[in-house]
Amino acid sequence: LYGSRRNIITDELKKGLINILIQIPLPFMIITSFLHRYDSNIKENIIKTFFYSLVAYILMPTISYLLLKPIKKEKRKILHFANIFVNTGYIGFPILHSMYGPEGVVYGSIFNMFFVLLVWTYGITIFKGNLTRKEILLELRDALLNPSILAVFLGILIMYFDIQLPEVLKKASREIGQLTGPLSMMIIGSGLAKVKIKK
């Protein structure tokens, strides 16, 4: 709040902070969550999380579509998008980590993977209408190259093949990942500073 009110955190700087957060600390937080030694039950739960996340992203659009039928078309698009694509990214991960530890981040990152893939395909079609096959493939390619998605794939490989990273790399990754919480709070605070309480 202070940084935004004193114009230290400008709109341009806020965009930069979001970009830094999504590109660097968040992927490191995801990777380091997979570095913990988990038993076979956790590995089974990861497979279940893939299934549950997929089911959730089939049910959410279906239920939202049915509930919003009486709403006018333009407003319906916005509400439909908001119903399906809630914020599961940089705000959610620090909360997951503080409540459930690294294991929570592992499950959350898998759910978020479906979010990213669908927001850049189905999410875009909500507003733009039908995309061509080429456009969908381009959007999918960009989504798959998202640092958070790459971090999930890398984390799963490290976990399932029990790859042991040098301690210095683990420590550095952990410390970079720990920036996710403070940076998220700064971004949220700067957003709240713009809110007019009376309104």
Side-chain angles (χ1 to χ4, degrees), residues 111-143:
F111 186 82
N112 187 63
M113 186 176 72
F114 284 92
F115 170 94
V116 172
L117 292 173
L118 284 164
V119 78
W120 293 110
T121 50
Y122 180 64
I124 288 172
T125 63
I126 291 171
F127 293 103
K128 285 181 73 175
N130 292 330
L131 298 176
T132 64
R133 188 170 177 272
K134 188 180 178 183
E135 285 173 321
I136 290 170
L137 288 172
L138 283 171
E139 294 294 348
L140 259 178
R141 184 200 65 188
D142 291 345

Side-chain angles (χ1 to χ4, degrees), residues 22-181:
I22 290 167
Q23 300 284 337
I24 305 167
L26 184 57
F28 274 99
M29 177 185 254
I30 291 167
I31 289 169
T32 52
S33 297
F34 282 93
L35 294 178
H36 290 260
R37 289 198 171 275
Y38 296 113
D39 60 28
S40 57
N41 287 337
I42 304 298
K43 291 178 181 180
E44 284 174 22
N45 286 343
I46 287 170
I47 294 165
K48 287 177 186 174
T49 305
F50 269 97
F51 174 73
Y52 294 148
S53 301
L54 181 61
V55 169
Y57 275 109
I58 291 168
L59 287 175
M60 284 190 290
T62 308
I63 293 166
S64 175
Y65 177 80
L66 294 171
L67 290 174
L68 294 173
K69 266 195 162 184
I71 309 292
K72 286 180 182 177
K73 195 176 180 182
E74 280 310 306
K75 194 175 181 183
R76 188 168 66 219
K77 281 182 186 178
I78 295 161
L79 291 172
H80 185 55
F81 185 91
N83 282 343
I84 303 162
F85 301 109
V86 295
N87 195 326
T88 61
Y90 64 85
I91 294 170
F93 281 108
I95 295 168
L96 272 177
H97 193 270
S98 63
M99 289 178 73
Y100 303 108
E103 189 182 336
V105 175
V106 167
Y107 301 142
S109 64
I110 291 165
F111 186 82
N112 187 63
M113 186 176 72
F114 284 92
F115 170 94
V116 172
L117 292 173
L118 284 164
V119 78
W120 293 110
T121 50
Y122 180 64
I124 288 172
T125 63
I126 291 171
F127 293 103
K128 285 181 73 175
N130 292 330
L131 298 176
T132 64
R133 188 170 177 272
K134 188 180 178 183
E135 285 173 321
I136 290 170
L137 288 172
L138 283 171
E139 294 294 348
L140 259 178
R141 184 200 65 188
D142 291 345
L144 287 167
L145 293 174
N146 180 291
S148 295
I149 301 283
L150 294 174
V152 173
F153 290 137
L154 186 59
I156 289 169
L157 284 174
I158 289 168
M159 177 190 279
Y160 276 91
F161 291 103
D162 201 24
I163 298 166
Q164 295 303 308
L165 298 181
E167 197 55 43
V168 67
L169 271 180
K170 283 185 185 178
K171 190 180 178 192
S173 298
R174 200 175 298 118
E175 287 177 0
I176 294 168
Q178 283 170 356
L179 290 170
T180 306

